Coordinates of all heavy atoms in Angstrom, one line a residue:
M82 N 126.7 85.4 162.3 CA 125.6 84.7 162.8 C 124.6 85.7 163.6 O 123.4 85.7 163.4 CB 126.1 83.6 163.8 CG 125.0 82.9 164.5 SD 124.3 81.6 163.6 CE 123.2 80.9 164.7
A83 N 125.3 86.6 164.4 CA 124.4 87.5 165.2 C 123.7 88.5 164.3 O 122.6 88.9 164.6 CB 125.3 88.3 166.2
A84 N 124.4 88.9 163.2 CA 123.7 89.8 162.3 C 122.5 89.2 161.6 O 121.4 89.9 161.5 CB 124.7 90.3 161.2
S85 N 122.6 87.9 161.3 CA 121.4 87.3 160.7 C 120.3 87.1 161.7 O 119.1 87.2 161.3 CB 121.8 86.0 160.0 OG 122.2 85.1 161.0
L86 N 120.6 87.0 162.9 CA 119.6 86.8 164.0 C 118.9 88.2 164.1 O 117.7 88.2 164.2 CB 120.2 86.4 165.3 CG 119.3 86.4 166.5 CD1 118.2 85.3 166.3 CD2 120.1 86.1 167.8
F87 N 119.6 89.3 164.2 CA 119.0 90.6 164.3 C 118.2 90.9 163.1 O 117.1 91.6 163.2 CB 120.1 91.7 164.5 CG 120.7 91.6 165.9 CD1 122.1 91.5 166.0 CD2 119.9 91.6 167.0 CE1 122.6 91.4 167.3 CE2 120.5 91.5 168.3 CZ 121.8 91.4 168.4
E88 N 118.6 90.5 161.9 CA 117.8 90.7 160.7 C 116.5 90.0 160.7 O 115.5 90.4 160.3 CB 118.6 90.3 159.5 CG 119.8 91.3 159.2 CD 120.7 90.8 158.1 OE1 120.5 89.7 157.6 OE2 121.6 91.5 157.7
A89 N 116.6 88.7 161.2 CA 115.4 87.9 161.4 C 114.4 88.6 162.4 O 113.2 88.6 162.1 CB 115.7 86.5 161.8
L90 N 114.9 89.1 163.5 CA 114.1 89.8 164.4 C 113.5 91.0 163.9 O 112.3 91.3 164.2 CB 114.9 90.1 165.7 CG 115.3 88.9 166.6 CD1 116.2 89.3 167.7 CD2 114.1 88.1 167.1
E91 N 114.2 91.7 163.0 CA 113.7 92.9 162.4 C 112.5 92.5 161.4 O 111.5 93.2 161.4 CB 114.7 93.7 161.6 CG 114.2 95.0 161.1 CD 115.3 95.8 160.4 OE1 116.5 95.4 160.4 OE2 115.0 96.8 159.8
L92 N 112.7 91.4 160.7 CA 111.7 91.0 159.8 C 110.4 90.6 160.6 O 109.3 90.9 160.2 CB 112.2 89.7 159.0 CG 111.2 89.1 158.0 CD1 110.9 90.2 156.9 CD2 111.8 87.9 157.4
V93 N 110.6 90.0 161.8 CA 109.4 89.6 162.6 C 108.7 90.9 163.1 O 107.5 91.0 163.1 CB 109.9 88.8 163.8 CG1 108.8 88.6 164.9 CG2 110.3 87.4 163.3
D94 N 109.5 91.9 163.4 CA 108.9 93.2 163.9 C 108.1 93.9 162.7 O 107.0 94.4 163.0 CB 110.0 94.1 164.3 CG 109.5 95.3 165.1 OD1 108.5 95.2 165.8 OD2 110.1 96.5 164.9
W95 N 108.6 93.8 161.5 CA 107.9 94.4 160.3 C 106.6 93.5 160.1 O 105.5 94.1 159.8 CB 108.7 94.4 159.1 CG 109.6 95.6 159.0 CD1 110.9 95.6 159.4 CD2 109.2 96.8 158.5 NE1 111.4 96.9 159.2 CE2 110.4 97.7 158.6 CE3 108.0 97.4 158.0 CZ2 110.3 99.0 158.3 CZ3 108.0 98.7 157.6 CH2 109.2 99.5 157.8
W96 N 106.7 92.2 160.2 CA 105.5 91.4 160.0 C 104.5 91.7 161.1 O 103.3 91.8 160.8 CB 106.0 89.9 160.1 CG 104.8 89.0 160.0 CD1 104.2 88.3 161.0 CD2 104.0 88.7 158.8 NE1 103.2 87.5 160.5 CE2 103.0 87.8 159.2 CE3 104.1 89.1 157.5 CZ2 102.1 87.3 158.3 CZ3 103.2 88.6 156.6 CH2 102.2 87.7 157.0
H97 N 104.9 91.9 162.3 CA 104.0 92.3 163.4 C 103.3 93.6 163.1 O 102.1 93.7 163.3 CB 104.8 92.3 164.7 CG 103.9 92.7 165.9 ND1 103.8 94.0 166.4 CD2 103.1 91.9 166.6 CE1 102.9 94.0 167.4 NE2 102.5 92.7 167.6
A98 N 104.0 94.6 162.6 CA 103.4 95.8 162.2 C 102.4 95.7 161.1 O 101.3 96.3 161.2 CB 104.5 96.8 161.8
A99 N 102.7 94.9 160.1 CA 101.7 94.6 159.0 C 100.4 94.0 159.6 O 99.3 94.4 159.2 CB 102.4 93.8 157.9
V100 N 100.6 93.0 160.4 CA 99.5 92.2 160.9 C 98.7 93.2 161.9 O 97.4 93.1 161.8 CB 99.9 91.0 161.7 CG1 98.8 90.3 162.4 CG2 100.5 90.0 160.6
A101 N 99.4 94.0 162.6 CA 98.7 94.9 163.6 C 97.8 95.9 162.8 O 96.7 96.2 163.2 CB 99.7 95.6 164.4
G102 N 98.3 96.4 161.7 CA 97.5 97.3 160.9 C 96.2 96.6 160.4 O 95.1 97.2 160.5
W103 N 96.3 95.4 159.9 CA 95.1 94.7 159.4 C 94.2 94.4 160.6 O 93.0 94.4 160.5 CB 95.5 93.4 158.7 CG 96.0 93.8 157.3 CD1 97.3 93.7 156.9 CD2 95.3 94.3 156.2 NE1 97.4 94.1 155.6 CE2 96.2 94.5 155.1 CE3 94.0 94.6 156.0 CZ2 95.8 95.0 153.9 CZ3 93.6 95.1 154.7 CH2 94.5 95.3 153.7
R104 N 94.8 93.9 161.7 CA 94.0 93.6 162.9 C 93.2 94.8 163.4 O 92.0 94.8 163.8 CB 94.8 93.1 164.0 CG 95.2 91.6 163.8 CD 95.9 91.1 165.0 NE 95.0 90.9 166.2 CZ 95.5 90.8 167.4 NH1 96.7 90.7 167.7 NH2 94.6 90.6 168.4
Y105 N 93.9 96.0 163.4 CA 93.3 97.2 163.8 C 92.1 97.6 162.8 O 91.0 98.0 163.3 CB 94.3 98.4 163.8 CG 93.7 99.7 164.3 CD1 93.7 100.0 165.6 CD2 93.1 100.6 163.4 CE1 93.2 101.1 166.1 CE2 92.6 101.8 163.9 CZ 92.7 102.0 165.3 OH 92.1 103.2 165.8
A106 N 92.2 97.3 161.6 CA 91.2 97.6 160.6 C 90.0 96.7 160.8 O 88.8 97.1 160.6 CB 91.7 97.5 159.2
F107 N 90.2 95.4 161.2 CA 89.1 94.5 161.2 C 88.6 94.0 162.5 O 87.6 93.3 162.6 CB 89.4 93.3 160.3 CG 89.5 93.7 158.8 CD1 90.7 93.7 158.2 CD2 88.4 94.0 158.1 CE1 90.8 94.0 156.8 CE2 88.4 94.4 156.8 CZ 89.7 94.4 156.2
S108 N 89.3 94.2 163.6 CA 89.0 93.7 164.9 C 88.6 94.8 165.9 O 89.5 95.6 166.3 CB 90.2 92.8 165.4 OG 89.9 92.4 166.8
R109 N 87.4 94.8 166.3 CA 86.9 95.8 167.2 C 87.6 95.6 168.6 O 88.0 96.6 169.2 CB 85.4 95.7 167.4 CG 84.9 96.7 168.5 CD 83.4 96.6 168.5 NE 83.0 97.3 167.3 CZ 81.8 97.8 167.2 NH1 80.9 97.7 168.2 NH2 81.4 98.4 166.1
S110 N 87.8 94.4 169.1 CA 88.4 94.2 170.4 C 89.9 94.6 170.3 O 90.4 95.2 171.3 CB 88.3 92.7 170.8 OG 89.0 91.9 169.9
F111 N 90.6 94.4 169.2 CA 92.0 94.8 169.1 C 92.1 96.3 169.1 O 92.9 96.9 169.7 CB 92.6 94.2 167.8 CG 94.1 94.6 167.7 CD1 95.0 93.9 168.4 CD2 94.5 95.6 166.8 CE1 96.4 94.3 168.3 CE2 95.8 95.9 166.6 CZ 96.8 95.3 167.4
R112 N 91.1 97.0 168.4 CA 91.1 98.5 168.4 C 90.8 99.0 169.8 O 91.5 100.0 170.2 CB 90.0 98.9 167.5 CG 90.4 99.4 166.1 CD 89.4 100.1 165.3 NE 88.0 99.6 165.4 CZ 87.6 98.6 164.6 NH1 88.3 98.1 163.7 NH2 86.3 98.2 164.7
T113 N 89.9 98.4 170.5 CA 89.6 98.9 171.9 C 90.9 98.7 172.8 O 91.2 99.7 173.5 CB 88.5 98.1 172.5 OG1 87.3 98.2 171.6 CG2 88.1 98.5 173.8
R114 N 91.5 97.6 172.7 CA 92.7 97.4 173.5 C 93.9 98.4 173.1 O 94.6 98.9 173.9 CB 93.3 96.0 173.4 CG 92.4 95.0 174.1 CD 93.1 93.6 174.2 NE 93.6 93.1 173.0 CZ 93.0 92.4 172.1 NH1 91.8 92.0 172.3 NH2 93.6 92.0 171.0
T115 N 94.0 98.6 171.8 CA 95.0 99.5 171.3 C 94.7 101.0 171.7 O 95.6 101.7 172.2 CB 95.0 99.5 169.7 OG1 95.3 98.1 169.4 CG2 96.1 100.4 169.2
H116 N 93.5 101.4 171.7 CA 93.1 102.7 172.1 C 93.4 102.9 173.6 O 93.9 104.0 174.0 CB 91.7 103.1 171.8 CG 91.4 103.3 170.4 ND1 90.1 103.5 169.9 CD2 92.2 103.3 169.3 CE1 90.2 103.6 168.6 NE2 91.4 103.5 168.2
E117 N 93.1 101.9 174.4 CA 93.4 101.9 175.8 C 94.9 102.0 176.1 O 95.4 102.8 176.9 CB 92.9 100.7 176.5 CG 93.0 100.7 178.0 CD 92.4 101.9 178.7 OE1 91.3 102.3 178.2 OE2 92.9 102.4 179.7
R118 N 95.7 101.3 175.3 CA 97.2 101.4 175.5 C 97.7 102.7 175.0 O 98.6 103.3 175.7 CB 97.8 100.2 174.6 CG 99.3 100.1 174.9 CD 99.9 99.0 174.1 NE 100.1 99.4 172.7 CZ 99.5 98.9 171.6 NH1 98.6 97.9 171.8 NH2 99.6 99.3 170.4
W119 N 97.1 103.3 174.0 CA 97.5 104.6 173.5 C 97.2 105.7 174.4 O 97.9 106.8 174.4 CB 96.9 104.9 172.1 CG 97.5 104.1 171.0 CD1 98.7 103.4 171.0 CD2 97.0 104.0 169.7 NE1 98.9 102.8 169.8 CE2 97.9 103.2 168.9 CE3 95.9 104.5 169.0 CZ2 97.7 102.9 167.6 CZ3 95.7 104.2 167.7 CH2 96.6 103.4 167.0
R120 N 96.2 105.6 175.3 CA 95.8 106.6 176.2 C 97.0 106.9 177.2 O 97.1 108.0 177.6 CB 94.6 106.3 177.0 CG 93.3 106.5 176.3 CD 92.2 106.4 177.2 NE 91.0 106.2 176.3 CZ 90.2 105.3 176.4 NH1 90.2 104.4 177.3 NH2 89.2 105.2 175.4
H121 N 97.8 105.9 177.5 CA 98.9 106.0 178.4 C 100.2 106.1 177.8 O 101.2 106.1 178.4 CB 98.9 104.8 179.4 CG 97.5 104.6 180.0 ND1 97.0 105.5 181.0 CD2 96.6 103.7 179.9 CE1 95.8 105.1 181.4 NE2 95.5 104.0 180.7
A122 N 100.2 106.2 176.4 CA 101.5 106.2 175.7 C 101.9 107.6 175.2 O 101.1 108.5 175.2 CB 101.4 105.3 174.5
N123 N 103.2 107.7 174.9 CA 103.7 108.9 174.4 C 103.1 109.2 173.0 O 102.9 108.2 172.2 CB 105.2 108.8 174.3 CG 105.9 110.0 173.8 OD1 105.3 110.9 173.2 ND2 107.2 110.1 174.1
R124 N 102.8 110.4 172.6 CA 102.3 110.7 171.3 C 103.1 110.2 170.2 O 102.7 109.8 169.1 CB 102.0 112.2 171.2 CG 100.8 112.7 172.0 CD 100.5 114.1 171.7 NE 99.4 114.6 172.5 CZ 98.9 115.7 172.4 NH1 99.3 116.6 171.6 NH2 97.8 116.0 173.2
W125 N 104.5 110.4 170.3 CA 105.4 109.9 169.3 C 105.3 108.4 169.1 O 105.4 107.9 168.0 CB 106.8 110.4 169.6 CG 107.0 111.9 169.5 CD1 107.2 112.7 170.6 CD2 106.9 112.6 168.3 NE1 107.2 114.0 170.1 CE2 107.1 114.0 168.7 CE3 106.8 112.4 167.0 CZ2 107.1 115.0 167.8 CZ3 106.8 113.4 166.1 CH2 107.0 114.7 166.5
R126 N 105.1 107.7 170.2 CA 105.0 106.2 170.1 C 103.7 105.9 169.3 O 103.7 105.0 168.5 CB 105.0 105.6 171.5 CG 104.8 104.2 171.6 CD 106.0 103.4 171.0 NE 105.7 102.0 171.0 CZ 106.5 101.1 170.5 NH1 107.7 101.5 170.0 NH2 106.2 99.9 170.6
V127 N 102.6 106.6 169.7 CA 101.4 106.3 168.9 C 101.5 106.6 167.5 O 101.1 105.9 166.6 CB 100.2 107.2 169.6 CG1 99.0 107.1 168.8 CG2 100.0 106.7 171.0
A128 N 102.1 107.8 167.2 CA 102.3 108.2 165.8 C 103.2 107.1 165.0 O 102.9 106.8 163.9 CB 103.0 109.5 165.7
W129 N 104.2 106.6 165.7 CA 105.1 105.6 165.1 C 104.2 104.3 164.8 O 104.4 103.7 163.8 CB 106.2 105.3 166.0 CG 107.1 104.2 165.5 CD1 107.3 103.0 166.0 CD2 108.0 104.3 164.3 NE1 108.2 102.3 165.2 CE2 108.6 103.1 164.1 CE3 108.2 105.3 163.3 CZ2 109.5 102.8 163.1 CZ3 109.0 105.0 162.3 CH2 109.7 103.8 162.2
E130 N 103.4 103.9 165.8 CA 102.6 102.7 165.6 C 101.6 102.8 164.5 O 101.4 101.9 163.7 CB 101.9 102.3 166.9 CG 102.8 101.7 168.0 CD 102.1 101.2 169.2 OE1 100.9 101.0 169.1 OE2 102.8 101.1 170.2
V131 N 101.0 104.0 164.4 CA 100.1 104.3 163.3 C 100.8 104.2 162.0 O 100.3 103.6 161.0 CB 99.3 105.6 163.5 CG1 98.6 106.0 162.3 CG2 98.4 105.5 164.7
T132 N 102.0 104.9 161.9 CA 102.7 104.9 160.7 C 103.1 103.5 160.3 O 103.0 103.1 159.1 CB 104.0 105.7 160.9 OG1 103.6 107.1 161.2 CG2 104.9 105.8 159.6
C133 N 103.6 102.7 161.2 CA 104.0 101.3 160.9 C 102.8 100.4 160.5 O 102.9 99.6 159.5 CB 104.7 100.7 162.1 SG 106.3 101.3 162.4
G134 N 101.7 100.6 161.1 CA 100.5 99.9 160.7 C 100.0 100.3 159.3 O 99.7 99.4 158.5
L135 N 100.0 101.5 159.0 CA 99.6 102.0 157.6 C 100.7 101.5 156.6 O 100.3 101.1 155.5 CB 99.5 103.5 157.6 CG 98.3 104.1 158.3 CD1 98.4 105.6 158.4 CD2 97.0 103.6 157.7
A136 N 101.9 101.5 156.9 CA 103.0 101.1 156.0 C 102.8 99.6 155.8 O 102.9 99.1 154.7 CB 104.3 101.4 156.6
G137 N 102.5 98.9 156.8 CA 102.3 97.4 156.7 C 101.2 97.1 155.8 O 101.2 96.2 154.9
I138 N 100.1 97.8 156.0 CA 98.9 97.6 155.1 C 99.3 98.0 153.6 O 99.0 97.2 152.7 CB 97.7 98.4 155.6 CG1 97.1 97.8 156.8 CG2 96.6 98.5 154.5 CD1 96.0 98.6 157.5
G139 N 99.9 99.1 153.5 CA 100.3 99.5 152.1 C 101.3 98.5 151.5 O 101.1 98.2 150.3
F140 N 102.3 98.0 152.2 CA 103.2 97.1 151.6 C 102.5 95.8 151.3 O 102.8 95.2 150.2 CB 104.4 96.8 152.6 CG 105.3 98.0 152.7 CD1 105.9 98.3 153.9 CD2 105.7 98.7 151.5 CE1 106.8 99.3 154.0 CE2 106.6 99.7 151.6 CZ 107.1 100.1 152.9
T141 N 101.6 95.3 152.1 CA 100.9 94.0 151.7 C 100.0 94.2 150.5 O 99.9 93.3 149.7 CB 100.1 93.5 152.9 OG1 99.2 94.4 153.4 CG2 101.0 93.0 154.0
L142 N 99.4 95.4 150.4 CA 98.5 95.7 149.3 C 99.4 95.8 148.0 O 99.0 95.2 146.9 CB 97.7 96.9 149.4 CG 96.6 96.9 150.4 CD1 95.9 98.2 150.6 CD2 95.5 95.8 150.0
L143 N 100.5 96.4 148.1 CA 101.5 96.5 147.0 C 102.0 95.1 146.6 O 102.0 94.8 145.4 CB 102.7 97.4 147.4 CG 103.7 97.6 146.3 CD1 103.2 98.3 145.1 CD2 104.9 98.3 146.9
L144 N 102.3 94.3 147.5 CA 102.7 92.9 147.2 C 101.6 92.2 146.5 O 101.9 91.5 145.5 CB 103.1 92.2 148.5 CG 103.6 90.8 148.3 CD1 104.9 90.8 147.5 CD2 103.9 90.2 149.7
I145 N 100.4 92.3 146.9 CA 99.2 91.6 146.3 C 99.1 92.1 144.8 O 98.9 91.3 143.9 CB 97.9 91.8 147.1 CG1 98.0 91.0 148.4 CG2 96.7 91.4 146.2 CD1 96.9 91.4 149.3
V146 N 99.2 93.4 144.6 CA 99.1 94.0 143.3 C 100.2 93.5 142.4 O 100.0 93.2 141.2 CB 99.1 95.6 143.4 CG1 99.3 96.2 142.0 CG2 97.8 96.1 144.0
L147 N 101.4 93.4 142.9 CA 102.5 92.9 142.1 C 102.4 91.5 141.7 O 102.6 91.1 140.6 CB 103.9 93.1 142.9 CG 104.4 94.5 143.0 CD1 105.6 94.6 143.9 CD2 104.7 95.1 141.6
I148 N 101.9 90.7 142.7 CA 101.7 89.3 142.4 C 100.6 89.1 141.3 O 100.8 88.3 140.4 CB 101.4 88.5 143.7 CG1 102.6 88.4 144.5 CG2 100.8 87.1 143.3 CD1 102.4 87.9 145.9
V149 N 99.5 89.8 141.5 CA 98.4 89.7 140.5 C 98.9 90.2 139.2 O 98.5 89.6 138.1 CB 97.2 90.5 141.0 CG1 96.1 90.7 139.9 CG2 96.6 89.9 142.2
S150 N 99.6 91.3 139.1 CA 100.1 91.8 137.8 C 101.1 90.8 137.1 O 101.1 90.7 135.9 CB 100.7 93.2 137.9 OG 102.0 93.1 138.6
L151 N 101.9 90.1 137.9 CA 102.8 89.1 137.3 C 102.0 87.9 136.8 O 102.3 87.3 135.8 CB 103.8 88.6 138.4 CG 104.9 89.6 138.7 CD1 105.7 89.1 139.9 CD2 105.8 89.9 137.5
I152 N 100.9 87.5 137.5 CA 100.1 86.4 137.1 C 99.3 86.7 135.9 O 99.1 85.9 134.9 CB 99.2 85.9 138.2 CG1 100.0 85.3 139.4 CG2 98.1 84.9 137.7 CD1 99.3 85.0 140.6
A153 N 98.8 88.0 135.8 CA 97.9 88.4 134.7 C 98.7 88.5 133.4 O 98.1 88.4 132.3 CB 97.3 89.8 135.1
D154 N 100.0 88.8 133.4 CA 100.7 88.9 132.2 C 101.1 87.6 131.6 O 101.0 86.6 131.5 CB 102.0 89.7 132.4 CG 101.7 91.2 132.6 OD1 100.6 91.7 132.2 OD2 102.6 91.9 133.2

């Protein structure tokens, strides 16, 4: 039971990273708040957040491409 709870929390964390990447791309206020938070953060933490945001965007785009290719065939 505990393992499935932790897996669900990890899934929520990945979902948050994907959404944060898209929010960063399209929301000026989110970008401003993020930049302010990054000013006081460790560089490795900032690099990790950027990596997760880009990975989230990449994975969602990949998922869209896969769904469209399945529908098109």
Side-chain angles (χ1 to χ4, degrees):
M82 173 86 175
S85 62
L86 176 63
F87 290 123
E88 290 170 358
L90 291 174
E91 185 177 358
L92 182 63
V93 168
D94 193 37
W95 276 97
W96 177 254
H97 181 263
V100 170
W103 287 109
R104 282 185 70 195
Y105 186 86
F107 292 109
S108 173
R109 176 176 287 203
S110 62
F111 183 77
R112 261 192 318 274
T113 302
R114 288 191 313 268
T115 302
H116 288 176
E117 183 61 33
R118 189 179 76 245
W119 283 350
R120 278 192 199 124
H121 306 290
N123 183 340
R124 286 185 182 185
W125 291 108
R126 176 68 181 178
V127 173
W129 179 249
E130 288 186 19
V131 170
T132 301
C133 289
L135 290 172
I138 289 173
F140 287 141
T141 54
L142 289 174
L143 179 65
L144 183 62
I145 291 169
V146 167
L147 288 174
I148 291 171
V149 169
S150 68
L151 287 173
I152 293 172
D154 284 339

